Structures are given as structure tokens and as C-alpha cells.
Amino acid sequence: MTGTVAAPPLAFGIGPDGTYTRFGQVAAFVLGLLTTFVFLPLVVVAALLYTRAETRFAEDPARARALVNWSWLCVTAPIVIAAVAIAALLALKG
């Protein structure tokens, strides 16, 4: 029984020699920047907005609801940004 053994699939952005491909380098750089500069600060902002909303509910419920909505926007925006970035990277690759 002689046959060829299929090579294992490569990891995303990694070449056959185990190093990053040019595409992998770009993807890692862009996603690293997004994580550092977009995701973490937005999570902190969301937490601050929600904390502020908790103290406002008794005196101004409408403003408190607006603050909560903004906090939710802050934590969902990174997901949308990541989805768009992944789609763009995949479009560039293929």
C-alpha cells in the first residue's frame, strides 16, 4: 500500500517553514493594534459609563439609560470591528 501522505494543514498566516507569511505578519500587526488601541480602552470606557449610569438612575432615568446604551455600544463595537477586519483580511488573502 504505497501512497502519498498528505501534509498537515498549515496554521493561519504560517508558511511551510513555520515562519509568518507576509499576510500573517500584516494580520498579526493589525489585529494586535486593534486589540491594544480599540478593545481595551473601549472596555474601560464602557465600565465607566455603566458606573456613572448606576448613580444617575434615581435622579435622571432617561440619561442613565442613554449611558447604559453607550456602554453597550462600546463593548459591541470591537466585535463589529474585528468581524470587518477579518473579512477584509480574508478578502485580501484570497
Side-chain angles (χ1 to χ4, degrees), residues 7-90:
L10 300 174
F12 179 76
I14 303 296
D17 61 349
T19 61
Y20 275 110
T21 61
R22 176 69 64 192
F23 176 76
Q25 290 173 337
V26 171
F29 180 75
V30 169
L31 293 175
L33 280 178
L34 285 173
T35 300
T36 303
F37 295 114
V38 177
F39 296 173
L40 182 62
L42 282 178
V43 170
V44 172
V45 168
L48 292 172
L49 286 169
Y50 187 79
T51 301
R52 182 70 175 139
E54 285 182 327
T55 62
R56 287 263 177 125
F57 269 114
E59 62 192 44
D60 190 359
R63 179 69 179 144
R65 280 192 289 278
L67 290 171
V68 170
N69 288 337
W70 276 106
S71 72
W72 275 111
L73 181 64
C74 288
V75 295
T76 56
I79 295 168
V80 173
I81 292 168
V84 169
I86 289 170
L89 289 172
L90 291 175

